[in-house]
Amino acid sequence: MLRPTRIEGIEDMKELFTTLLLVFSVMASYAHDFEVDGIYYNLNKEAKEAVVTYKGLYYWNNDYYGFVKIPSSISYGNATYSVTSIGDRAFRACTGLTYVEIPNSVTSIGEGAFIGCSALASLPIPNSVTSIGISAFQDCLSLASITIPNSVTSIGYGTFSGCYGLKSVTIPNSVTSIGESAFSNCSSLTSIIIPSSVTKIEQAVFSNCSSLTSVEIPNLITSIGGSAFSGCSALTMVTIPNSVTSIGGLAFKGCSHLREIHSNNITPPECGPDVFNGVQTANCRLYVPTGSKDDYAYALGWGNFVNIIEEAVINPSADIEKPSITYDNKRLTFSCGTPDVTYSYTIKAEDNTGNLTDSENGEVNLSATYIITAYAKKDGMTSEPSTAALVWATATFTPGEDMGVKEMTVDTLPLLIMQEDGMVTVSGIADGATVT
């Protein structure tokens, strides 16, 4: 049992004071190991690695501000240390921090590393980073865009929560999981593409993203978590792929501007409580696969919709390659690496309804400007869609010498523009033509 210390005289007081100094010295040893050029580090002397940390014993002593450039290595004593990590809460609440340059030696960003850095406007993340801790960038109010490198496989809980100024996010296919509330309260985010590598949408992941107007949900998603899109009041249309079997409670609560929901599963996904609370089910059209209207009308959650409309649903298969679309001599042509396929396509223009039409040989004659979407089909399976834009551009053309002129202007040169995996392909250009 602890007993109170009895101080008899001045010598005892000196002894107590000395003891307290030793205690505080031991406590201070748990703070940063040393500082170089205004940046504080902890060392792993055995591995010769350095971790960026905060000043002193507590993160609220942080005084990082302005531009901070983290070096790839530092020297201490007689050794060189590689800077491999930004530690937990290293820059927490550094409200004057505007930019951080991270070297390629860094492989991890710790929990809450930049939480509350309200003036941080830009932060390029190098491809060397493989892990980002929970709440790493939470409440970075000035962060406008972020690109996750393809070395990262997961985005943790609340990573970008409360980043009110975040407008653009690029998530690579290397990411297989996005944690709960990862982008909640990102009120400036207007669109999001969830990579096809993700199989589950976690709880509240995009809740209160009040400017979000579009979201692409990949075909491998099996469940949508509770409150996943709650408060996304600007969302007007959403397509739920046929792979989704369950939707958590309040998932679309407060999505008051939803006007179209396409649910592609012939069996209505199981709904938790109040999934569509706040959705104007009298005005929002629910599109379901042909033959499933009655099932949806009597299913919990789905039966609240007044306008349930059946449509032909195309559920893509990875066994069929996406078709290519080319244009030449006023003729649109589809081709596919999978043999013996037929094609379906939609063509949208001011004078066209965009209805699905069949083509046995993959050829279509055109006479106007169109947006084309094509599918390859075989044995009841359908490919992912390919999309191209046919536009009419002004160009200059240099004919052969036998035509008697050196150059002429072509006002109605047809160009078919197709983008796939980051590569843009243009067809329909004659030899010697230069598009301006």
Side-chain angles (χ1 to χ4, degrees):
M1 184 175 69
L2 294 175
R3 299 179 182 275
T5 301
R6 184 174 181 180
I7 301 175
E8 298 276 342
I10 189 69
E11 292 301 318
D12 287 342
M13 291 184 66
K14 287 181 179 180
E15 185 179 348
L16 178 61
F17 183 73
T18 302
T19 301
L20 290 173
L21 284 177
L22 288 172
V23 170
F24 283 117
S25 296
V26 172
M27 289 175 63
S29 69
Y30 292 99
H32 64 271
D33 289 334
F34 73 107
E35 172 263 334
V36 176
D37 296 330
I39 301 177
Y40 302 92
Y41 301 93
N42 286 327
L43 298 179
N44 182 334
K45 294 184 178 181
E46 184 177 341
K48 293 295 187 290
E49 294 177 348
V51 178
V52 177
T53 188
Y54 45 80
K55 175 184 178 181
L57 189 60
Y58 303 106
Y59 64 81
W60 54 74
N61 291 325
N62 265 340
D63 58 359
Y64 295 114
Y65 62 91
F67 176 92
V68 172
K69 182 178 180 179
I70 301 172
S72 59
S73 64
I74 54 172
S75 296
Y76 179 67
N78 296 321
T80 299
Y81 295 83
S82 177
V83 179
T84 59
S85 178
I86 298 175
D88 296 348
R89 300 175 295 280
F91 294 93
R92 178 167 181 156
C94 290
T95 56
L97 188 69
T98 57
Y99 186 90
V100 177
E101 185 174 313
I102 304 174
N104 284 323
S105 58
V106 169
T107 60
S108 65
I109 298 174
E111 296 182 8
F114 295 93
I115 188 172
C117 293
S118 55
L120 187 64
S122 179
L123 185 69
I125 302 174
N127 284 325
S128 56
V129 172
T130 58
S131 67
I132 300 175
I134 65 174
S135 300
F137 303 99
Q138 183 177 328
D139 296 332
C140 289
L141 308 182
S142 300
L143 197 62
S145 65
I146 197 78
T147 298
I148 309 295
N150 57 18
S151 51
V152 172
T153 59
S154 65
I155 299 173
Y157 173 89
T159 300
F160 297 97
S161 177
C163 292
Y164 297 139
L166 191 62
K167 297 180 180 179
S168 171
V169 176
T170 301
I171 306 174
N173 281 325
S174 59
V175 171
T176 58
S177 65
I178 302 175
E180 294 181 16
S181 303
F183 295 95
S184 63
N185 298 301
C186 291
S187 55
S188 296
L189 192 64
T190 57
S191 64
I192 192 76
I193 298 175
I194 302 171
S196 57
S197 48
V198 174
T199 59
K200 181 181 180 181
I201 297 178
E202 299 286 354
Q203 293 187 32
V205 65
F206 299 108
S207 63
N208 297 316
C209 292
S210 55
S211 297
L212 192 67
T213 58
S214 67
V215 60
E216 291 190 21
I217 302 176
N219 288 312
L220 295 180
I221 294 290
T222 58
S223 64
I224 298 175
S227 300
F229 298 97
S230 65
C232 294
S233 54
L235 196 62
T236 57
M237 192 272 284
V238 65
T239 297
I240 301 171
N242 69 315
S243 53
V244 172
T245 58
S246 66
I247 303 175
L250 305 174
F252 294 94
K253 177 188 176 183
C255 295
S256 55
H257 284 83
L258 263 179
R259 292 296 177 265
E260 285 187 25
I261 298 176
H262 296 258
S263 183
N264 291 348
N265 195 334
I266 196 167
T267 301
E270 182 180 346
C271 289
D274 299 320
V275 166
F276 300 105
N277 185 7
V279 175
Q280 299 181 30
T281 52
N283 299 320
C284 180
R285 295 182 298 276
L286 173 61
Y287 292 89
V288 300
T290 300
S292 63
K293 180 177 179 178
D294 288 344
D295 290 335
Y296 274 86
Y298 290 101
L300 182 65
W302 302 103
N304 295 326
F305 288 88
V306 174
N307 298 310
I308 303 178
I309 304 165
E310 292 187 346
E311 64 176 353
V313 173
I314 297 174
N315 292 313
S317 169
D319 295 330
I320 309 295
E321 287 190 16
K322 293 175 64 173
S324 297
I325 307 173
T326 55
Y327 178 84
D328 184 54
N329 194 27
K330 297 184 179 181
R331 175 168 289 181
L332 186 69
T333 302
F334 307 139
S335 59
C336 182
T338 303
D340 303 323
V341 299
T342 59
Y343 301 90
S344 293
Y345 62 91
T346 60
I347 299 177
K348 295 184 180 180
E350 292 182 359
D351 59 347
N352 192 288
T353 61
N355 291 329
L356 190 68
T357 310
D358 289 328
S359 171
E360 294 297 328
N361 59 12
E363 295 184 356
V364 182
N365 292 320
L366 299 177
S367 60
T369 303
Y370 299 93
I371 301 296
I372 304 104
T373 301
Y375 304 83
K377 301 188 301 181
K378 182 179 180 180
D379 299 331
M381 297 183 293
T382 305
S383 71
E384 292 276 356
S386 293
T387 303
L390 182 65
V391 299
W392 302 90
T394 301
T396 57
F397 179 68
T398 303
E401 294 181 359
D402 57 333
M403 296 184 67
V405 292
K406 292 184 177 180
E407 189 173 90
M408 67 176 66
T409 300
V410 180
D411 291 325
T412 57
L413 179 69
L415 305 177
L416 188 79
I417 303 173
M418 184 175 178
Q419 181 173 347
E420 180 69 24
D421 296 330
M423 180 176 293
V424 177
T425 303
V426 181
S427 61
I429 304 177
D431 291 339
T434 303
V435 180
T436 59

